[in-house]
Amino acid sequence: MSEKLPALNAVDDGRNIDPRLGALLGEAAQQTPLATKHDTELHAKTFGNVPSRQSWTSPTYYDHPMLHQPVWVWSIPAYFYVGGVAGVGAMLGAAAQLVAPEAMQSLVIRSRWVAMVGGAMSSALLIYDLGRPERFLHMLRVFRVRSPMNMGSWILTGFSSAAGAAAILPFGPRLFRPLANVCGVVAGVLGLGLSGYTGVLLSQTAVPLWHRSYKITPLLFLASGTAAAASFFEFFPLNEREASAVQRFGLVGKIVELAATLALEANAGRVERVGRPLKQGFSGFLWNGAKVLTIASALLSLLPGKSRPKRVAEGILGSAASACLRFGIYYAGKASARDPRASFEQQRASVAESASVDVA
Amino acid sequence: MANGFFTDTSLCIGCKACEVACKQWNQLPDDGYHFTGMSYDNTLHLGASTWRHVSFIERPVALNGQDAGAFSWLMSSDVCKHCARAGCLENCPTGAIIRTEFGSVYVQPDICNGCGYCVAGCPFGVIDRSPDDGRAWKCTLCYDRQKDGMHPACAKACPTESIKFGEVEELKRVAKDRVEKLHQQGVTEAYLYGEDARSQPGTAGLNAFFLLLDRPEVYNLPPDPEVPTLKGSKSWISAGLAAIGVTALAFVSVVLGNRSEKESS
Ligand code: SF4
Ligand code: SF4
């Protein structure tokens, strides 16, 4: 026995398997051992609390998280923002193309380019988050209506193709023009899918804050996409008609965005622990910052005048608001997943809610 | 036919033989060696490299039918529940997660691209992404062993038969008898967790269910888990209505923008 020990230590891959005696054929043999260590800080922290001596009034498991928090990185909320701009922007472009193709020609063309570049950036941001990026095409292996991420992959693929064709085809022979216009409309319709499905994507998780907001998040994301797309177009030099359309589009978007933000917060706040990350910490800072920026940008749009500096200022405020909103709800969801009481209290509350409905 | 586990926590002695057997059979790497101070639990949580986890609960509360004073020590071996409606499976965009011929939920490592959506979709916090190459891992219900007609390693190793493996319908019968017997012996707090769709509508029942002696929260189990897809269609409808609204808004804005400038010019 003792002479075997050095051999085992030499193969210190955390499995204690001597390669001369055993083969690595198990289900998990492909995992790289040293990378899977737990977070030591968490342990040090909990040990400092003498966790076994918790009070027993409303027990949890040492307040250790019940869920794994979402493992996505910054590129996912960034994608929510970019996808929102590209998707809703394509819809505005499609409307302009159908209503006033001549008068709003530059808006139409710009919206197609924004959609094409935004679609490509969206794919890049999504692939960046994957554990195995080279397998991104596996997303299109199946067509699965139940999985919003699968639906989203199809929507994004269709949207990018249509937007790309709509942007590039006009450079080809005249014959291609009608085809480009069809693609522009298709991109507009799919663009709304792109901006809206991300709300479904978030709500279809076990994360208490996101799951509780299943009805509001799609609306919030589309409204925020509307505000963000309009804000982005404010950066371009547009003629008066275009600027007026963009401003009105954005103003309504901002108002609905603000209303949906407040509605989501009120609904989440009905279970204190669930709503808490929207009020506290970094996520609360982003979330409340988004509200302030939205209000500021909306007030600015209400002031008369369409001068360039004013439009750019509106654009900066509106874009920052939408970006803060996406990152805010992302980090707030993560925080609510780390809090076991958020899940517990939410589920107890919904049991009570449905029980009272049964009685009524 | 579906196979599953019945984990009877009233029998568990906290020896962690199941954890060790699982690590050994599946050749899972260690998680580092830590001291948490949470009773005898230094494993903490199920994860990519931990597919069985024994939790230890020190309660300042007596268990009915025992006379050890105001104290009881609960132990429970947690595992993937192989839910009848599994959040991980329904969310997976690549089809990497499948339902096997044994009724279990299995992640195919050669398909998974590490998108992490299953992690957010599991209402029990079971499946996790491994930090090395970001693929998702969890209990396979020993798919490889079952194919060869063997029982899962944890059930085989459990010295008290706290972990029972078998056909789910048969396990349910055993479990109900066991609850009745415990109640007769005075352990009136014993109850089954997730044994069928009636007791846990949100998941349509678990293929790996439990006998517990306190509220689920005490074991870090959700009291009323719900597969997230259950609210999916309502969420999509909301997205659809909002999309119609944005379309209308886009047309109105463009028409008004076009007209107002015509008038002023
Ligand atoms: S417990 Fe979680 S990981 Fe296991 S089958 Fe259910 S949803 Fe999937
Ligand atoms: S991480 Fe892998 S198993 Fe999990 S949902 Fe994504 S593709 Fe499916």
Side-chain angles (χ1 to χ4, degrees):
Chain A
M1 192 62 212
S2 57
E3 69 272 14
K4 285 231 180 83
L5 269 179
L8 285 177
N9 287 338
V11 207
D12 184 20
D13 80 338
R15 292 189 179 88
N16 291 344
I17 292 169
D18 185 338
R20 286 166 307 181
L21 303 174
L24 282 176
L25 297 172
E27 286 274 7
Q30 293 172 26
Q31 287 192 20
T32 316
L34 292 171
T36 59
K37 302 279 189 234
H38 274 323
D39 177 1
T40 33
E41 247 174 55
L42 175 75
H43 296 253
K45 210 164 62 212
T46 48
F47 181 48
N49 298 339
V50 194
S52 320
R53 289 205 208 124
Q54 61 173 333
S55 84
W56 206 253
T57 41
S58 81
T60 63
Y61 193 67
Y62 307 105
D63 267 339
H64 187 73
M66 191 263 293
L67 298 171
H68 289 297
Q69 61 173 349
V71 289
W72 297 326
V73 297
W74 61 268
S75 67
I76 297 299
Y79 156 68
F80 294 162
Y81 169 75
V82 174
V85 171
V88 180
M91 187 63 204
L92 183 62
Q97 171 203 315
L98 292 173
V99 174
E102 305 285 310
M104 298 197 181
Q105 195 188 18
S106 109
L107 179 64
V108 173
I109 293 173
R110 282 174 208 276
S111 77
R112 290 178 182 178
W113 281 91
V114 167
M116 184 177 79
V117 175
M121 275 173 69
S122 296
S123 305
L125 288 167
L126 283 179
I127 291 171
Y128 176 77
D129 176 70
L130 291 182
R132 297 289 290 258
E134 76 279 10
R135 292 187 181 173
F136 72 94
L137 275 180
H138 283 196
M139 291 286 188
L140 307 179
R141 237 183 112 241
V142 287
F143 188 84
R144 182 178 259 196
V145 180
R146 231 180 219 163
S147 166
M149 192 179 277
N150 180 260
M151 285 296 98
S153 305
W154 285 106
I155 291 174
L156 177 59
T157 309
F159 172 77
S160 301
S161 319
I168 305 264
L169 281 180
F171 290 107
R174 254 184 175 281
L175 219 60
F176 287 170
R177 291 276 162 83
L179 190 56
N181 287 342
V182 172
C183 287
V185 174
V186 171
V189 173
L190 290 176
L192 293 186
L194 181 67
S195 320
Y197 99 87
T198 42
V200 182
L201 180 88
L202 283 195
S203 60
Q204 209 163 299
T205 60
V207 175
L209 174 66
W210 296 345
H211 191 51
R212 186 173 177 88
S213 320
Y214 67 98
K215 272 186 196 151
I216 310 175
T217 24
L219 170 66
L220 174 66
F221 273 35
L222 271 162
S224 180
T226 304
S231 299
F232 196 74
F233 285 128
E234 301 280 22
F235 297 137
F236 295 128
L238 298 172
N239 67 34
E240 285 221 24
R241 290 167 195 225
E242 293 168 335
S244 152
V246 163
Q247 199 180 46
R248 189 170 282 115
F249 190 61
L251 182 60
V252 178
K254 285 167 202 165
I255 292 169
V256 179
E257 181 185 29
L258 189 64
T261 305
L262 296 174
L264 190 150
E265 199 178 311
N267 178 49
R270 276 161 56 201
V271 180
E272 201 271 325
R273 297 295 286 225
V274 177
R276 193 181 276 186
L278 293 177
K279 301 202 170 73
Q280 296 178 355
F282 182 53
S283 54
F285 173 73
L286 289 173
W287 181 259
N288 288 316
K291 284 191 276 188
V292 173
L293 289 165
T294 305
I295 293 172
S297 153
L299 287 180
L300 197 56
S301 330
L302 282 173
L303 292 179
K306 291 195 184 64
S307 72
R308 195 81 213 289
K310 175 172 171 276
R311 286 188 46 224
V312 169
E314 275 174 38
I316 291 174
L317 289 172
S319 307
S322 179
C324 279
L325 183 88
R326 312 306 179 109
F327 278 89
I329 195 166
Y330 174 69
Y331 287 114
K334 271 189 131 172
S336 82
R338 283 194 300 268
D339 178 5
R341 288 180 200 269
S343 300
F344 295 158
E345 283 171 21
Q346 153 132 306
Q347 291 177 16
R348 291 283 183 199
S350 65
V351 169
E353 275 163 23
S354 57
S356 65
V357 167
D358 287 348
V359 173
Chain B
M1 188 203 75
N3 288 340
F5 289 126
F6 165 43
T7 307
D8 179 351
T9 69
S10 70
L11 291 175
C12 181
I13 55 169
C15 69
K16 301 190 192 177
C18 49
E19 276 190 30
V20 175
C22 175
K23 285 255 181 202
Q24 285 202 319
W25 176 261
N26 293 302
Q27 301 186 329
L28 284 156
D30 75 65
D31 313 298
Y33 299 95
H34 299 293
F35 182 63
T36 65
M38 298 180 181
S39 194
Y40 276 30
D41 182 2
N42 292 314
T43 313
L44 274 179
H45 209 290
L46 294 171
S49 59
T50 305
W51 298 352
R52 267 274 177 197
H53 159 231
V54 184
S55 47
F56 293 77
I57 298 114
E58 295 178 18
R59 299 192 310 166
V61 180
L63 199 62
N64 285 342
Q66 282 188 355
D67 47 6
F71 180 78
S72 49
W73 202 10
L74 306 181
M75 293 133 201
S76 160
S77 180
D78 197 9
V79 70
C80 168
K81 282 78 185 169
H82 297 278
C83 319
R85 281 200 59 183
C88 61
L89 187 154
E90 297 192 5
N91 270 3
C92 177
T94 64
I97 306 186
I98 53 162
R99 175 104 29 207
T100 70
E101 64 270 38
F102 305 111
S104 55
V105 176
Y106 178 72
V107 191
Q108 306 171 83
D110 54 334
I111 306 293
C112 171
N113 66 9
C115 72
Y117 199 33
C118 52
V119 179
C122 170
F124 298 95
V126 171
I127 192 165
D128 199 8
R129 218 157 75 157
S130 155
D132 60 344
D133 68 354
R135 279 182 292 169
W137 301 88
K138 69 169 194 72
C139 161
T140 67
L141 207 77
C142 277
Y143 191 29
D144 50 349
R145 289 174 65 94
Q146 281 201 66
K147 273 199 188 154
D148 286 341
M150 293 191 288
H151 284 192
C154 55
K156 202 82 189 156
C158 178
T160 63
E161 284 195 356
S162 169
I163 301 174
K164 291 183 186 65
F165 170 80
E167 230 227 288
V168 177
E169 291 308 315
E170 173 61 23
L171 289 177
K172 279 185 200 167
R173 265 194 296 281
V174 174
K176 279 177 186 143
D177 289 350
R178 174 70 186 160
V179 171
E180 218 161 273
K181 192 159 164 231
L182 281 171
H183 283 188
Q184 278 165 15
Q185 289 173 351
V187 191
T188 45
E189 49 280 77
Y191 70 100
L192 296 181
Y193 176 83
E195 83 278 19
D196 55 23
R198 234 191 30 215
S199 71
Q200 201 173 91
T203 60
L206 309 173
N207 282 359
F209 59 98
F210 298 80
L211 183 152
L212 302 180
L213 299 170
D214 200 338
R215 277 166 286 181
E217 288 96 325
V218 164
Y219 298 88
N220 221 1
L221 291 170
D224 185 27
E226 177 177 280
V227 56
T229 32
L230 228 47
K231 299 256 169 73
S233 36
K234 285 189 186 148
S235 202
W236 278 113
I237 289 173
S238 163
L241 293 176
I244 293 172
V246 173
T247 311
L249 174 63
F251 277 95
V252 169
S253 307
V254 169
V255 168
L256 289 183
N258 202 24
R259 188 180 300 160
S260 69
E261 298 311 321
K262 249 183 228 157
E263 280 162 8
S264 68
S265 59

